[in-house]
PDB file of all heavy atoms in Angstrom:
ATOM      1  N   ARG A 171       8.810  40.496 -17.900  1.00 98.00           N
ATOM      2  CA  ARG A 171       9.966  39.682 -17.897  1.00 98.00           C
ATOM      3  C   ARG A 171       9.790  38.473 -18.637  1.00 98.00           C
ATOM      4  O   ARG A 171       8.729  37.832 -18.671  1.00 98.00           O
ATOM      5  CB  ARG A 171      10.363  39.393 -16.451  1.00 98.00           C
ATOM      6  CG  ARG A 171      11.602  38.458 -16.316  1.00 98.00           C
ATOM      7  CD  ARG A 171      11.945  38.303 -14.855  1.00 98.00           C
ATOM      8  NE  ARG A 171      12.505  39.626 -14.340  1.00 98.00           N
ATOM      9  CZ  ARG A 171      13.193  39.641 -13.210  1.00 98.00           C
ATOM     10  NH1 ARG A 171      13.526  38.642 -12.460  1.00 98.00           N
ATOM     11  NH2 ARG A 171      13.649  40.947 -12.771  1.00 98.00           N
ATOM     12  N   LEU A 172      10.928  38.089 -19.498  1.00 98.00           N
ATOM     13  CA  LEU A 172      10.857  36.954 -20.243  1.00 98.00           C
ATOM     14  C   LEU A 172      12.115  36.032 -19.718  1.00 98.00           C
ATOM     15  O   LEU A 172      13.228  36.634 -19.540  1.00 98.00           O
ATOM     16  CB  LEU A 172      11.028  37.205 -21.674  1.00 98.00           C
ATOM     17  CG  LEU A 172       9.851  37.752 -22.328  1.00 98.00           C
ATOM     18  CD1 LEU A 172      10.020  38.490 -23.667  1.00 98.00           C
ATOM     19  CD2 LEU A 172       8.680  36.720 -22.528  1.00 98.00           C
ATOM     20  N   GLY A 173      12.052  34.745 -19.841  1.00 97.00           N
ATOM     21  CA  GLY A 173      13.115  33.800 -19.782  1.00 97.00           C
ATOM     22  C   GLY A 173      13.711  33.559 -21.209  1.00 97.00           C
ATOM     23  O   GLY A 173      12.828  33.677 -22.242  1.00 97.00           O
ATOM     24  N   ILE A 174      14.875  33.062 -21.410  1.00 97.00           N
ATOM     25  CA  ILE A 174      15.391  32.779 -22.675  1.00 97.00           C
ATOM     26  C   ILE A 174      16.166  31.559 -22.528  1.00 97.00           C
ATOM     27  O   ILE A 174      16.984  31.325 -21.674  1.00 97.00           O
ATOM     28  CB  ILE A 174      16.141  33.975 -23.295  1.00 97.00           C
ATOM     29  CG1 ILE A 174      16.765  33.605 -24.646  1.00 97.00           C
ATOM     30  CG2 ILE A 174      17.331  34.356 -22.372  1.00 97.00           C
ATOM     31  CD1 ILE A 174      17.503  34.651 -25.357  1.00 97.00           C
ATOM     32  N   ASN A 175      16.155  30.612 -23.589  1.00 93.00           N
ATOM     33  CA  ASN A 175      17.019  29.404 -23.661  1.00 93.00           C
ATOM     34  C   ASN A 175      18.045  29.672 -24.769  1.00 93.00           C
ATOM     35  O   ASN A 175      17.702  29.344 -25.846  1.00 93.00           O
ATOM     36  CB  ASN A 175      16.074  28.166 -23.978  1.00 93.00           C
ATOM     37  CG  ASN A 175      16.968  26.936 -23.943  1.00 93.00           C
ATOM     38  OD1 ASN A 175      17.787  26.801 -23.175  1.00 93.00           O
ATOM     39  ND2 ASN A 175      16.511  26.068 -24.880  1.00 93.00           N
ATOM     40  N   ALA A 176      19.266  30.083 -24.318  1.00 90.00           N
ATOM     41  CA  ALA A 176      20.437  30.328 -25.309  1.00 90.00           C
ATOM     42  C   ALA A 176      21.605  29.662 -24.684  1.00 90.00           C
ATOM     43  O   ALA A 176      22.141  30.168 -23.681  1.00 90.00           O
ATOM     44  CB  ALA A 176      20.545  31.872 -25.536  1.00 90.00           C
ATOM     45  N   PHE A 177      22.123  28.558 -25.437  1.00 85.00           N
ATOM     46  CA  PHE A 177      23.236  27.876 -24.922  1.00 85.00           C
ATOM     47  C   PHE A 177      24.467  28.492 -25.306  1.00 85.00           C
ATOM     48  O   PHE A 177      24.496  29.536 -26.085  1.00 85.00           O
ATOM     49  CB  PHE A 177      23.337  26.463 -25.636  1.00 85.00           C
ATOM     50  CG  PHE A 177      22.132  25.631 -25.129  1.00 85.00           C
ATOM     51  CD1 PHE A 177      21.221  25.072 -26.061  1.00 85.00           C
ATOM     52  CD2 PHE A 177      21.874  25.410 -23.859  1.00 85.00           C
ATOM     53  CE1 PHE A 177      20.150  24.315 -25.724  1.00 85.00           C
ATOM     54  CE2 PHE A 177      20.775  24.527 -23.462  1.00 85.00           C
ATOM     55  CZ  PHE A 177      19.900  24.003 -24.392  1.00 85.00           C
ATOM     56  N   GLU A 178      25.578  28.039 -24.660  1.00 85.00           N
ATOM     57  CA  GLU A 178      26.868  28.750 -24.754  1.00 85.00           C
ATOM     58  C   GLU A 178      27.342  28.991 -26.146  1.00 85.00           C
ATOM     59  O   GLU A 178      28.036  29.915 -26.557  1.00 85.00           O
ATOM     60  CB  GLU A 178      27.947  28.045 -23.970  1.00 85.00           C
ATOM     61  CG  GLU A 178      27.826  28.306 -22.467  1.00 85.00           C
ATOM     62  CD  GLU A 178      26.653  27.371 -21.854  1.00 85.00           C
ATOM     63  OE1 GLU A 178      26.095  26.661 -22.562  1.00 85.00           O
ATOM     64  OE2 GLU A 178      26.481  27.450 -20.534  1.00 85.00           O
ATOM     65  N   GLN A 179      27.085  27.942 -27.049  1.00 87.00           N
ATOM     66  CA  GLN A 179      27.515  28.107 -28.501  1.00 87.00           C
ATOM     67  C   GLN A 179      26.711  28.950 -29.402  1.00 87.00           C
ATOM     68  O   GLN A 179      27.079  29.308 -30.432  1.00 87.00           O
ATOM     69  CB  GLN A 179      27.601  26.622 -29.102  1.00 87.00           C
ATOM     70  CG  GLN A 179      26.231  26.089 -29.355  1.00 87.00           C
ATOM     71  CD  GLN A 179      25.718  25.273 -28.213  1.00 87.00           C
ATOM     72  OE1 GLN A 179      25.982  25.493 -27.078  1.00 87.00           O
ATOM     73  NE2 GLN A 179      24.607  24.471 -28.450  1.00 87.00           N
ATOM     74  N   GLN A 180      25.555  29.435 -28.821  1.00 92.00           N
ATOM     75  CA  GLN A 180      24.795  30.260 -29.657  1.00 92.00           C
ATOM     76  C   GLN A 180      25.160  31.755 -29.647  1.00 92.00           C
ATOM     77  O   GLN A 180      25.763  32.193 -28.636  1.00 92.00           O
ATOM     78  CB  GLN A 180      23.237  30.129 -29.215  1.00 92.00           C
ATOM     79  CG  GLN A 180      22.781  28.608 -29.550  1.00 92.00           C
ATOM     80  CD  GLN A 180      21.336  28.362 -28.837  1.00 92.00           C
ATOM     81  OE1 GLN A 180      21.190  28.635 -27.733  1.00 92.00           O
ATOM     82  NE2 GLN A 180      20.596  27.763 -29.643  1.00 92.00           N
ATOM     83  N   HIS A 181      24.829  32.380 -30.653  1.00 96.00           N
ATOM     84  CA  HIS A 181      25.441  33.701 -31.010  1.00 96.00           C
ATOM     85  C   HIS A 181      24.971  34.707 -29.890  1.00 96.00           C
ATOM     86  O   HIS A 181      25.813  35.587 -29.396  1.00 96.00           O
ATOM     87  CB  HIS A 181      25.242  34.240 -32.275  1.00 96.00           C
ATOM     88  CG  HIS A 181      25.952  33.274 -33.403  1.00 96.00           C
ATOM     89  ND1 HIS A 181      25.612  33.502 -34.765  1.00 96.00           N
ATOM     90  CD2 HIS A 181      26.813  32.296 -33.384  1.00 96.00           C
ATOM     91  CE1 HIS A 181      26.212  32.602 -35.474  1.00 96.00           C
ATOM     92  NE2 HIS A 181      27.099  31.814 -34.508  1.00 96.00           N
ATOM     93  N   LEU A 182      23.739  34.757 -29.590  1.00 97.00           N
ATOM     94  CA  LEU A 182      23.279  35.700 -28.483  1.00 97.00           C
ATOM     95  C   LEU A 182      23.991  35.395 -27.232  1.00 97.00           C
ATOM     96  O   LEU A 182      24.345  36.412 -26.451  1.00 97.00           O
ATOM     97  CB  LEU A 182      21.733  35.644 -28.382  1.00 97.00           C
ATOM     98  CG  LEU A 182      21.081  36.559 -27.254  1.00 97.00           C
ATOM     99  CD1 LEU A 182      19.783  36.889 -27.731  1.00 97.00           C
ATOM    100  CD2 LEU A 182      21.090  35.803 -25.903  1.00 97.00           C
ATOM    101  N   ARG A 183      24.157  34.229 -26.863  1.00 96.00           N
ATOM    102  CA  ARG A 183      24.854  33.841 -25.551  1.00 96.00           C
ATOM    103  C   ARG A 183      26.210  34.295 -25.593  1.00 96.00           C
ATOM    104  O   ARG A 183      26.822  34.842 -24.657  1.00 96.00           O
ATOM    105  CB  ARG A 183      24.857  32.358 -25.345  1.00 96.00           C
ATOM    106  CG  ARG A 183      25.380  31.924 -24.036  1.00 96.00           C
ATOM    107  CD  ARG A 183      24.663  32.475 -22.835  1.00 96.00           C
ATOM    108  NE  ARG A 183      25.147  32.050 -21.551  1.00 96.00           N
ATOM    109  CZ  ARG A 183      24.724  31.023 -20.881  1.00 96.00           C
ATOM    110  NH1 ARG A 183      23.711  30.394 -21.339  1.00 96.00           N
ATOM    111  NH2 ARG A 183      25.256  30.636 -19.800  1.00 96.00           N
ATOM    112  N   GLN A 184      26.954  34.265 -26.782  1.00 97.00           N
ATOM    113  CA  GLN A 184      28.227  34.783 -26.925  1.00 97.00           C
ATOM    114  C   GLN A 184      28.385  36.309 -26.652  1.00 97.00           C
ATOM    115  O   GLN A 184      29.259  36.832 -26.093  1.00 97.00           O
ATOM    116  CB  GLN A 184      28.905  34.525 -28.293  1.00 97.00           C
ATOM    117  CG  GLN A 184      29.021  32.910 -28.505  1.00 97.00           C
ATOM    118  CD  GLN A 184      29.667  32.593 -29.932  1.00 97.00           C
ATOM    119  OE1 GLN A 184      30.531  33.230 -30.382  1.00 97.00           O
ATOM    120  NE2 GLN A 184      29.109  31.466 -30.444  1.00 97.00           N
ATOM    121  N   HIS A 185      27.294  37.032 -27.160  1.00 98.00           N
ATOM    122  CA  HIS A 185      27.254  38.458 -26.832  1.00 98.00           C
ATOM    123  C   HIS A 185      27.048  38.668 -25.368  1.00 98.00           C
ATOM    124  O   HIS A 185      27.614  39.622 -24.772  1.00 98.00           O
ATOM    125  CB  HIS A 185      26.087  39.059 -27.663  1.00 98.00           C
ATOM    126  CG  HIS A 185      26.239  39.096 -29.112  1.00 98.00           C
ATOM    127  ND1 HIS A 185      25.361  39.624 -30.037  1.00 98.00           N
ATOM    128  CD2 HIS A 185      27.401  38.780 -29.974  1.00 98.00           C
ATOM    129  CE1 HIS A 185      25.778  39.612 -31.264  1.00 98.00           C
ATOM    130  NE2 HIS A 185      26.944  38.947 -31.218  1.00 98.00           N
ATOM    131  N   TRP A 186      26.105  37.898 -24.780  1.00 98.00           N
ATOM    132  CA  TRP A 186      25.814  37.893 -23.361  1.00 98.00           C
ATOM    133  C   TRP A 186      27.169  37.662 -22.493  1.00 98.00           C
ATOM    134  O   TRP A 186      27.388  38.422 -21.531  1.00 98.00           O
ATOM    135  CB  TRP A 186      24.816  36.903 -22.957  1.00 98.00           C
ATOM    136  CG  TRP A 186      24.284  37.022 -21.591  1.00 98.00           C
ATOM    137  CD1 TRP A 186      23.263  37.829 -21.116  1.00 98.00           C
ATOM    138  CD2 TRP A 186      24.661  36.294 -20.413  1.00 98.00           C
ATOM    139  NE1 TRP A 186      22.980  37.581 -19.839  1.00 98.00           N
ATOM    140  CE2 TRP A 186      23.998  36.608 -19.353  1.00 98.00           C
ATOM    141  CE3 TRP A 186      25.608  35.258 -20.282  1.00 98.00           C
ATOM    142  CZ2 TRP A 186      24.087  36.185 -18.065  1.00 98.00           C
ATOM    143  CZ3 TRP A 186      25.911  34.751 -19.001  1.00 98.00           C
ATOM    144  CH2 TRP A 186      25.061  35.161 -17.913  1.00 98.00           C
ATOM    145  N   GLU A 187      27.957  36.631 -22.979  1.00 97.00           N
ATOM    146  CA  GLU A 187      29.192  36.405 -22.190  1.00 97.00           C
ATOM    147  C   GLU A 187      30.163  37.520 -22.345  1.00 97.00           C
ATOM    148  O   GLU A 187      30.861  37.876 -21.230  1.00 97.00           O
ATOM    149  CB  GLU A 187      29.796  35.086 -22.652  1.00 97.00           C
ATOM    150  CG  GLU A 187      28.990  33.838 -22.385  1.00 97.00           C
ATOM    151  CD  GLU A 187      28.864  33.453 -20.919  1.00 97.00           C
ATOM    152  OE1 GLU A 187      29.519  34.057 -20.147  1.00 97.00           O
ATOM    153  OE2 GLU A 187      28.071  32.557 -20.574  1.00 97.00           O
TER     154      GLU A 187
END
Side-chain angles (χ1 to χ4, degrees):
R171 181 170 293 194
L172 291 164
I174 179 175
N175 183 39
F177 296 121
E178 285 76 5
Q179 73 272 18
Q180 293 172 315
H181 297 170
L182 179 145
R183 184 62 177 267
Q184 293 178 43
H185 292 178
W186 187 87
E187 294 290 353

